[in-house]
Amino acid sequence: MHRFRGAAPYLISTALAGLLTACAVGPDFERPPAPDVKAYESAPLPEKTQATPSETGGAAQTFATGKDIPAEWWKLFHSEPLNQLIALSLKNNPDLAAAEAALREAHENMKAGEGPLFPSIDAGFTAEREKISGSAFGAAGSIPPFTLLNASVSVSYGPDIFGGTRRQIEALSASEDYQRFELEAARLSLTANVVTTAIAEASLRGQIAATKNIIGEEQKSLDLLNNQFKLGGIAKPAVLAQAATLAQERATLPPLEKQLSVTRHQLSVLAGQFPSEEPHGVFELTKLELPIEIPVSLPSKLVEQRPDVRAAESTLHAASAEIGVATAAMLPQFPLTGDVGSTAATLASLFAPGTGVWSLAAGIAQPLFHGGTLLHQKRASEAAYDEAAAMYRKTVLTAFQDVADSLHALQSDAETLKANAEAEHAAADSLRLSEQQYKDGAISYLTLLTAEQTEQQTKIALVQAQAQRFADTAALFSALGGGWWNRIDTADNAEATDREDSDTNKTPTVTNFNNSSGHDAPAVKGDE
């Protein structure tokens, strides 16, 4: 073993010398610049939305441009059952657990990829019993059977002269970043789905309550008409028309109750529970508060905040590194190997003086002709990079569209709610007047029935408009990224990103195909 101790420094010093003079071929990835966009829409963003004289969700919302989004943005709805349900969902949701496992897998793969930077050391032991003929050595007779024991330690190392291994690690690290942002996207999607599903439940409960009130009023009208018909005050067609209206209204109730049941089941599954384990909270619009101040991130910040954009950026980074991997595969490799051990006929003499054996070897391997495989693999990696760049741009455009759509939706929702509230108020006044006119004999029952149907429709529309305003508010928080960067458990990631940004400190570009030393990549020999 003393010979191995003498060989090890030589191998290590050779490896370090190679690393010190090495360069990483392929492009140096730099984050794409933020789009030079000053606003999400062509029209200027108003200071606030319309206000509505409605007890539920009628307040004017103000847009706070440049203000940051809180990490737990759903708490702005001030619903404790909603907060508890989201906490349960974040703990038990299987999609989130799968995303966390995928991140751990990517991290371990990245760490495994660092292995080739270090020498590989393997120990071996063999025991062999042989009998050979003396004729093989030009001697007559046979040679007695003998035992051969061998114990050895082997060291192998391939210096990363052209940075192929480092580029592979870079690609694996980018893949880990991708999974990290996919996890954030899964968290954002989960919380947004829980909020919007809870709002859907609240909307359905409001519609069911309004429908039941309408059915009650229709039943009272039918009872009154039946009494009038018995007294000969009205004709049979009026009774039949009211009965038909009541039946139609009752027919709308079962589908609403079915949707409510489906929504409750969905909330259970989002929380990682079986449908039989219904959420403890019951969601109603009157128990939700509409967030008044809406933080609107600057457009230049959106690409940093959206998890899907950051994931697409990581994919672009990985594709950039793969170009370096493919380029390095076309260049010479310099394998170094060393073996030290002992060979003896008996176990007792295995490490006796004179039994030691050792070997050192160094080589160079330059690909010359592989049928064009390596060349086309490099071209394929460049095409993959172009594809990733196009998909990144598409993701950015979609992100801006989501925010623009949500901002416009909030303005439209406020106007729609105001119009529906005014329509419901007018329809209620019209119905009261029609009822009085019918009692006075000034209008027919069909005119009164029309007024009743109009008032019923405006009640349902008002509930739907209220719920839509809550849902679109949640959609805006989601479109802006959800505030994940403000969570305590992502502080380390944010610091790492800041360090990466400070190290780059130059105008980002995604088209630089020079190597890390700033020189052109070494010329490639052969048809590779």
Side-chain angles (χ1 to χ4, degrees):
M1 298 302 292
H2 62 283
R3 296 185 182 275
F4 174 72
R5 287 195 297 270
Y10 172 79
L11 291 175
I12 294 175
S13 62
T14 303
L16 290 176
L19 287 176
L20 289 174
T21 60
C23 64
V25 295
D28 290 331
F29 180 76
E30 296 174 359
R31 294 183 60 186
D36 186 17
V37 178
K38 305 301 181 183
Y40 293 105
E41 293 187 277
S42 57
L45 188 66
E47 181 180 349
K48 60 182 179 180
T49 65
Q50 288 273 4
T52 302
S54 173
E55 295 181 358
T56 303
Q61 291 179 303
T62 60
F63 297 110
T65 302
K67 188 172 182 179
D68 206 4
I69 301 171
E72 297 179 327
W73 55 269
W74 53 87
K75 291 187 175 180
L76 297 177
F77 291 93
H78 297 286
S79 171
E80 189 56 32
L82 180 60
N83 297 340
Q84 293 176 358
L85 183 60
I86 288 181
L88 183 63
S89 300
L90 291 173
K91 180 180 179 181
N92 297 331
N93 184 267
D95 289 336
L96 203 58
E100 291 171 346
L103 175 58
R104 294 196 304 271
E105 177 186 7
H107 175 73
E108 296 302 330
N109 285 334
M110 187 274 293
K111 300 302 290 185
E114 295 177 348
L117 290 177
F118 303 92
S120 296
I121 303 175
D122 299 286
F125 175 81
T126 59
E128 184 178 357
R129 182 70 175 172
E130 292 188 21
K131 182 182 184 301
I132 60 176
S133 172
S135 300
F137 302 96
S142 63
I143 298 175
F146 63 92
T147 300
L148 188 64
L149 303 176
N150 180 271
S152 64
V153 175
S154 300
V155 180
S156 62
Y157 182 64
D160 191 26
I161 301 297
F162 298 108
T165 299
R166 281 171 287 154
R167 289 302 189 194
Q168 186 63 60
I169 296 171
E170 182 183 348
L172 291 171
S173 179
S175 297
E176 181 184 0
D177 289 338
Y178 172 83
Q179 291 297 340
R180 179 177 294 109
F181 291 118
E182 283 291 285
L183 173 59
E184 294 300 340
R187 289 177 62 97
L188 177 58
S189 176
L190 173 61
T191 54
N193 283 339
V194 172
V195 172
T196 54
T197 306
I199 292 172
E201 177 187 332
S203 174
L204 289 168
R205 291 190 183 278
Q207 294 178 59
I208 289 173
T211 301
K212 288 182 177 179
N213 289 336
I214 292 170
I215 290 174
E217 294 297 326
E218 295 289 357
Q219 184 63 57
K220 291 179 182 178
S221 297
L222 180 59
D223 294 340
L224 178 61
L225 290 177
N226 275 322
N227 291 334
Q228 291 178 338
F229 174 72
K230 291 177 183 178
L231 297 174
I234 60 172
K236 185 66 173 178
V239 178
L240 296 177
Q242 179 61 30
T245 300
L246 175 59
Q248 290 174 351
E249 197 60 44
R250 283 176 173 167
T252 64
L253 189 57
L256 292 174
E257 293 175 335
K258 173 187 174 182
Q259 293 180 46
L260 177 60
S261 178
V262 171
T263 301
R264 295 287 288 177
H265 294 163
Q266 183 178 357
L267 285 176
S268 296
V269 172
L270 287 173
Q273 298 178 325
F274 290 97
S276 58
E277 303 173 278
E278 286 198 357
H280 296 298
V282 172
F283 300 101
E284 299 177 355
L285 290 176
T286 56
K287 295 181 180 179
L288 294 173
E289 291 186 23
L290 184 72
I292 303 303
E293 186 180 60
I294 306 298
V296 180
S297 304
L298 296 174
S300 59
K301 288 289 186 180
L302 187 63
V303 294
E304 298 179 9
Q305 297 176 178
R306 287 270 298 217
D308 56 342
V309 174
R310 297 297 297 274
E313 178 189 312
S314 299
T315 300
L316 183 63
H317 188 176
S320 171
E322 289 293 346
I323 297 175
V325 174
T327 303
M330 304 170 69
L331 300 172
Q333 307 297 316
F334 302 89
L336 302 175
T337 59
D339 294 276
V340 61
S342 180
T343 302
T346 63
L347 188 61
S349 61
L350 184 59
F351 297 104
T355 61
V357 294
W358 62 269
S359 68
L360 290 174
I364 181 172
Q366 167 64 56
L368 294 178
F369 180 76
H370 286 207
T373 298
L374 300 181
L375 175 62
H376 292 297
Q377 286 177 342
K378 179 176 180 293
R379 290 177 179 175
S381 66
E382 293 171 349
Y385 176 86
D386 293 338
E387 178 187 7
M391 294 305 298
Y392 173 81
R393 176 169 172 76
K394 177 183 177 181
T395 305
V396 171
L397 291 174
T398 301
F400 275 78
Q401 179 186 355
D402 289 345
V403 176
D405 290 347
S406 297
L407 287 172
H408 190 81
L410 286 185
Q411 301 170 55
S412 178
D413 290 344
E415 296 171 359
T416 301
L417 179 60
K418 182 178 180 180
N420 277 281
E422 292 173 350
E424 194 274 337
H425 182 72
D429 290 343
S430 175
L431 178 58
R432 285 191 293 270
L433 179 59
S434 296
E435 289 173 341
Q436 184 60 46
Q437 290 177 329
Y438 178 74
K439 292 178 181 178
D440 296 339
I443 60 173
S444 66
Y445 179 74
L446 291 179
T447 303
L448 174 62
L449 185 60
T450 300
E452 289 179 346
Q453 293 173 340
T454 301
E455 198 263 350
Q456 295 161 8
Q457 293 170 356
T458 58
K459 282 185 176 181
I460 300 296
L462 178 61
V463 173
Q464 292 173 339
Q466 292 168 338
Q468 190 62 49
R469 200 173 184 201
F470 282 95
D472 284 336
T473 299
L476 177 60
F477 286 122
S478 177
L480 289 170
W484 58 270
W485 54 93
N486 288 323
R487 287 207 323 273
I488 296 176
D489 61 345
T490 58
D492 293 340
N493 296 339
E495 291 175 3
T497 300
D498 291 340
R499 288 194 298 270
E500 178 184 347
D501 293 344
S502 62
D503 290 341
T504 302
N505 195 24
K506 56 180 112 173
T507 304
T509 175
V510 294
T511 56
N512 175 23
F513 284 88
N514 291 335
N515 61 28
S516 61
S517 63
H519 304 293
D520 292 339
V524 178
K525 299 179 180 180
D527 178 20
E528 297 307 327

